[in-house]
Amino acid sequence: MKISVSPEDSAQLQSLEEEKVTIPQPVRTLEVLEQMVAGNEILEELLRDVLKQSIAYTTIVAKYNQILKGGLDDAEVTKQLDEVDPVRTIIHNATMDTINAFSRQLGLAGKDNTWVGDFGGNRAAYGKFAMLLALNWIKTNPQ
């Protein structure tokens, strides 16, 4: 799936990749989702939206983590987190909305969307799925 990432976002995402963390597969891999939506333009576009939102969310989480690990004094960390946290929350909400819209359309198209119900409305579960999806995309699409 073709997605463009800004140089700044690419650097943020690359910092996660450089940590050499073993990245588990998301509950549904991008490959499985791509197969599921193949031939349905609406679902293909919604999946692109999910991936774009997942990348945006993962990027802001990477930035948040870099602030925490940046070796700044407490006052500067607090100041920077105060700037980033509201944006992170907005992006997280948008990511959840995008995943839910995709799920609804999957259901309307007669495709399996039960895996989204397994999140149970849990914000952390949505965030984890989004980050795993984005990180797995990064592994297969180096910038």
Side-chain angles (χ1 to χ4, degrees):
M1 180 166 287
K2 198 84 165 149
I3 303 287
S4 62
V5 179
S6 73
E8 181 182 337
D9 289 351
S10 182
Q12 292 289 339
L13 294 169
Q14 191 62 36
S15 73
L16 291 174
E17 181 68 18
E18 289 169 2
E19 290 183 22
K20 300 295 182 209
V21 175
T22 301
I23 302 168
Q25 292 293 315
V27 65
R28 290 288 184 275
T29 64
L30 184 57
E31 181 181 9
V32 167
L33 292 173
E34 286 175 327
Q35 291 169 0
M36 190 183 298
V37 305
N40 183 317
E41 289 182 28
I42 294 170
L43 290 177
E44 288 173 350
E45 183 64 30
L46 287 170
L47 179 55
R48 269 190 294 280
D49 292 346
V50 167
L51 186 54
K52 288 177 189 175
Q53 254 334 116
S54 295
I55 290 167
Y57 178 68
T58 303
T59 301
I60 197 74
V61 169
K63 184 174 184 176
Y64 191 92
N65 287 337
Q66 283 183 333
I67 292 168
L68 292 174
K69 294 178 180 180
L72 304 170
D73 64 55
D74 288 346
E76 186 60 27
V77 168
T78 300
K79 177 183 174 224
Q80 288 189 21
L81 290 179
D82 285 348
E83 292 171 6
V84 171
D85 196 46
V87 175
R88 184 185 58 81
T89 300
I90 289 166
I91 293 174
H92 191 142
N93 291 342
T95 302
M96 290 175 59
D97 290 344
T98 304
I99 292 168
N100 287 332
F102 177 60
S103 173
R104 282 190 299 276
Q105 282 301 125
L106 283 173
L108 290 172
K111 309 283 185 178
D112 176 33
N113 66 349
T114 57
W115 53 275
V116 176
D118 293 342
F119 297 162
N122 182 300
R123 292 179 62 79
Y126 279 93
K128 181 178 178 181
F129 170 76
M131 288 189 291
L132 292 175
L133 191 67
L135 292 171
N136 278 278
W137 177 83
I138 292 163
K139 279 187 164 281
T140 59
N141 297 278
Q143 300 296 306

